[in-house]
Amino acid sequence: MRLPAAVNSLLLRSSGVLIFLILWETAPRLAWVDPYFVPPLSIVVREIWLLLETGDLSRHLLVSSWRAVTGLSLALVVALPLGIILGRWLTGLASALEPLLRLLSQINPFAMLPLFLLFFGIGETAKVAVVTWVTLWPILFYTIIATRTVDPLQIKSAAALGVSRSEMLCKVILPAAVPTIFIGIRIGASLTFFILIAAEMLGAGSGLGWLVHNSAMNYLIPRIYAGATFIVLLGFLLNRLLLYIEASLSIWQGSQSGSPVAGQSRASSWRPDRGSAVAGTAILVLVLILGALEVRRLNQEALAGASSSSSHAKHFGTPADSSDGGL
Amino acid sequence: MAGVVDVPQQIQTDAKIVVKAITSVFHLKKTRTEPAREFIALKEINLEVKKGEFLVLVGPSGCGKSTLLDILTGLAQPTSGAVYIDGNKVTGPALDRGIVLQGYALFPWRTVRQNVEFGLEIKKVPKRERRAISDNFIHLVGLDGFADRFPHELSGGMKQRVAIARALAYDPEVLLMDEPFAAVDAQTRESLQDELLRIWEATGKTILFVTHSIEEAVFLGDRVAVLTPNPGTLREIVKIDLPRPRHNSDTRSSAEFGWIRRKIWELLQNAPHESRHHLNAVPVAEAISPTASL
């Protein structure tokens, strides 16, 4: 039994990971650790395979990805314009609001979770809202900083041509700010899964967090590890995808070559272009659409199966009210 | 503003640029050591630049030459007085003036070609024409083959050539240059100076060039306007009669060159006595340059 090739190549990229995996397999087998609590890798892999076969894993994967990407997108929609306005035009307001914003961003999202559940119920809104809340702050702060610190000389040389406000924004401020804004987006994205998994554990009927929590409630220990593995993978993949989009949007930064010698050919090195940025974004949009359909289907199923036990709940052998098991 | 004499929107003149009684006053805020006060960056500057002329403004830092250039660009408003281009009052930035700044100020996310085409995009020139024009100007500054490079792949001298091509590409009649060669090494600087004279002769633009280097001023200019600080006043305009075309190799070694350089140096040394008292206030003028907040 083998992992799919793509996953395999990702896992085996570094030898550290490889050693870790070997230890994971051998330590329980040699009884260095209790194999009941730490099942060897092969058992976890078989569990993953089982979950994949029934299609349950891909469903949870899709649902979790959808929640993460939706939350991230909403945070972008709110934080980017707000950050540009505060960083560029309403700088007075920005400095007045800054202590408040810093304070809000320091609120522990885990503490906010029950509140979100209280306000929005255990539906999708609460989970997406908490992800949005967490990712909003780094994106907002980095956008403010990025737009505030655009080189004044660049602004001056554009202003000297009498450019309009929108031209200044689209042709100077945004391109100059993109690399810094992306740092914020990636910090936000890495926080996304932490909070999403927690939210799914506290109140959900699907998603990787629910899978792990549900398995724990039912002492299905290999399944916990299978779910956790996929949570790690998902976070890793999202970060990779963002890095890829970022690299293709900021080819001009040339960080790879230490001494740029004029006239020397650099054609050999691969340069991501706008096309790959579009491709990366398309993947995210695809997750949004497919995930939305899946979530809608699941929620309808949950409604229909409110009287009888729902199909996947039955599969895991859990009580029908497992959806709010953590509360 | 109350108390300011009305200036006409248009004047009759043959000169390309007319600077008329420009005064620029900054209001310095109170600091821990000093009370609030007024700082006169420019005082009653009058200047005329003929069409196709190469005029150099020279003066020590803090004499208000950058402020004057900002006013010419339209990025700053004088406290009183006005600037006219072709007899029309300057009210804001526009595409009839090209600007080259000290720190290149290229857009690092744009290739050489895209940088050169920036002004053309603002001018809404169709894409195909843009390409022909940018090809032409990239060739003019000697950067053929570098059109698709990004600024970080270029040397300092090359970046400044791109900045010059960018300022020329949208065909302004006046080129305003603010210490453009201050950041490059001595050798590159001399070759850029030769290059600039060649481009000037080829395009026939009116150039107003700001520098603090007396040598550069004498070598480049038809006339050199000497500014002295505190307050920034136009001390004298020196006509440079050195024959053209000039080349760094022989022009600089001529006796006449040395003589003019000496004369300007003396003009700068014998600044009016009052300026000595305020020497420590000099950096303030730089710090409050109106474009610093842009």
Side-chain angles (χ1 to χ4, degrees):
Chain A
M1 207 168 290
R2 295 179 64 100
L3 287 165
V7 179
N8 210 8
S9 73
L10 276 175
L11 282 179
L12 302 186
R13 183 160 296 163
S14 71
S15 53
V17 174
L18 190 66
I19 290 167
F20 173 76
L21 293 180
I22 291 171
L23 272 176
W24 188 355
E25 179 65 31
T26 50
R29 294 230 180 263
L30 299 174
W32 293 345
V33 292
D34 188 339
Y36 183 75
F37 294 122
V38 185
L41 179 62
S42 51
I43 307 254
V44 174
V45 169
R46 187 190 300 147
E47 189 62 39
I48 290 173
W49 184 255
L50 274 173
L51 283 169
L52 279 174
E53 251 182 354
T54 56
D56 275 316
L57 190 59
S58 53
R59 182 192 302 148
H60 294 301
L61 212 57
L62 191 58
V63 167
S64 284
S65 315
W66 178 81
R67 285 171 186 153
V69 175
T70 307
L72 198 58
S73 308
L74 280 177
L76 279 174
V77 169
V78 176
L80 279 184
L82 194 64
I84 292 165
I85 290 168
L86 287 177
R88 209 57 236 176
W89 286 294
L90 302 177
T91 44
L93 183 66
S95 30
L97 281 182
E98 198 178 328
L100 174 68
L101 293 177
R102 293 275 169 207
L103 193 74
L104 286 176
S105 73
Q106 286 303 310
I107 295 176
N108 190 326
F110 291 92
M112 295 289 286
L113 246 174
L115 275 181
F116 276 105
L117 292 174
L118 209 62
F119 284 126
F120 301 115
I122 59 163
E124 295 307 316
T125 323
K127 272 142 336 223
V128 171
V130 80
V131 170
T132 306
W133 172 267
V134 168
T135 48
L136 186 74
W137 304 110
I139 300 176
L140 181 63
F141 290 139
Y142 274 86
T143 306
I144 292 176
I145 290 168
T147 48
R148 195 185 277 166
T149 54
V150 177
D151 186 351
L153 266 184
Q154 288 167 6
I155 302 230
K156 183 174 174 179
S157 54
L161 303 183
V163 296
S164 67
R165 192 172 261 209
S166 63
E167 281 170 328
M168 181 66 93
L169 179 66
C170 298
K171 288 182 185 289
V172 183
I173 294 170
L174 277 184
V178 157
T180 313
I181 292 177
F182 251 95
I183 298 176
I185 295 179
R186 279 198 292 116
I187 292 175
S190 63
L191 295 173
T192 301
F193 280 97
F194 283 109
I195 194 63
L196 176 64
I197 299 305
E200 286 177 345
M201 284 181 174
L202 282 184
S206 57
L208 288 172
W210 175 84
L211 178 71
V212 170
H213 180 72
N214 184 265
S215 311
M217 291 295 106
N218 293 289
Y219 294 105
L220 299 167
I221 289 177
R223 188 162 284 174
I224 298 177
Y225 283 89
T229 307
F230 269 86
I231 292 168
V232 170
L233 274 182
L234 211 56
F236 179 77
L237 280 179
L238 182 66
N239 199 25
R240 270 291 132 140
L241 203 59
L242 288 172
L243 269 177
Y244 183 71
I245 297 175
E246 182 185 357
S248 45
L249 284 180
S250 37
I251 7 162
W252 48 271
Q253 281 193 306
S255 49
Q256 61 273 53
S257 59
S259 57
V261 181
Q264 177 192 315
S265 173
R266 295 246 330 273
S268 55
S269 66
W270 178 73
R271 281 178 166 183
D273 52 11
R274 303 270 146 140
S276 29
V278 173
T281 315
I283 294 174
L284 291 179
V285 172
L286 198 71
V287 168
L288 270 181
I289 296 168
L290 289 180
L293 291 174
E294 182 66 21
V295 166
R296 194 159 147 253
R297 200 184 61 75
L298 276 180
N299 285 345
Q300 276 170 355
E301 207 173 77
L303 272 179
S307 46
S308 65
S309 56
S310 68
S311 65
H312 60 277
K314 199 187 289 166
H315 172 79
F316 289 119
T318 55
D321 61 353
S322 65
S323 50
D324 48 6
L327 285 177
Chain B
M1 209 184 287
V4 174
V5 190
D6 263 348
V7 283
Q9 291 298 311
Q10 280 188 319
I11 53 164
Q12 284 294 320
T13 179
D14 293 333
K16 189 77 194 165
I17 309 172
V18 176
V19 175
K20 211 165 184 183
I22 288 281
T23 296
S24 184
V25 180
F26 295 110
H27 299 274
L28 299 185
K29 286 198 183 119
K30 206 179 99 168
T31 63
R32 224 180 310 167
T33 50
E34 278 182 88
R37 63 182 176 98
E38 288 190 338
F39 176 83
I40 304 167
L42 292 169
K43 191 180 174 186
E44 287 290 313
I45 304 278
N46 285 292
L47 192 65
E48 287 197 1
V49 187
K50 290 190 279 289
K51 189 170 164 49
E53 190 181 16
F54 199 129
L55 186 115
V56 183
L57 286 172
V58 70
S61 58
C63 70
K65 46 192 198 305
S66 292
T67 307
L68 182 55
L69 210 71
D70 284 344
I71 293 170
L72 281 159
T73 316
L75 290 173
Q77 295 299 319
T79 310
S80 66
V83 171
Y84 299 88
I85 293 195
D86 288 327
N88 297 314
K89 191 181 167 206
V90 167
T91 51
L95 289 160
D96 59 353
R97 284 149 281 156
I99 178 168
V100 181
L101 302 167
Q102 179 179 344
Y104 320 128
L106 297 179
F107 301 120
W109 56 89
R110 289 174 159 247
T111 61
V112 168
R113 181 192 302 288
Q114 287 166 339
N115 264 289
V116 174
E117 289 181 3
F118 184 82
L120 300 169
E121 286 173 28
I122 303 299
K123 217 177 169 182
K124 308 273 188 290
V125 176
K127 197 167 185 180
R128 193 173 303 162
E129 280 177 51
R130 286 210 301 261
R131 177 144 186 131
I133 296 169
S134 61
D135 272 338
N136 185 19
F137 281 98
I138 289 169
H139 174 73
L140 182 72
V141 298
L143 286 176
D144 303 87
F146 290 93
D148 297 318
R149 296 304 173 98
F150 285 95
H152 76 264
E153 298 172 291
L154 306 178
S155 67
M158 294 167 97
K159 282 183 199 165
Q160 203 49 272
R161 286 160 195 257
V162 178
I164 293 171
R166 179 176 66 179
L168 288 170
Y170 52 89
D171 200 27
E173 293 190 27
V174 175
L175 200 56
L176 305 170
M177 307 181 85
D178 190 2
E179 306 204 25
F181 305 148
V184 294
D185 60 89
Q187 259 106 47
T188 312
R189 190 176 184 155
E190 291 195 356
S191 76
L192 282 171
Q193 288 167 356
D194 280 336
E195 199 92 327
L196 179 63
L197 285 183
R198 183 180 62 74
I199 291 167
W200 171 61
E201 274 151 23
T203 56
K205 304 286 179 197
T206 308
I207 296 183
L208 204 143
F209 189 104
V210 167
T211 181
H212 60 250
S213 156
I214 300 172
E215 286 217 16
E216 186 166 71
V218 175
F219 175 70
L220 291 172
D222 287 328
R223 289 188 298 156
V224 173
V226 182
L227 290 170
T228 48
N230 293 309
T233 29
L234 184 57
R235 183 142 163 78
E236 196 167 325
I237 296 179
V238 181
K239 198 162 166 39
I240 314 288
D241 278 326
L242 297 170
R244 291 198 189 264
R246 298 175 192 165
H247 296 288
N248 256 305
S249 42
D250 32 69
T251 303
R252 274 178 206 268
S253 51
S254 72
E256 211 182 347
F257 183 91
W259 185 82
I260 300 169
R261 190 183 60 189
R262 172 81 194 170
K263 185 181 173 188
I264 292 174
W265 184 80
E266 277 172 357
L267 282 170
L268 287 168
Q269 289 304 303
N270 304 326
H273 193 67
E274 57 173 324
S275 71
R276 302 280 160 84
H277 297 297
H278 300 292
L279 273 183
N280 57 348
V282 165
V284 179
E286 295 286 303
I288 56 171
S289 165
T291 49
S293 61
L294 271 168

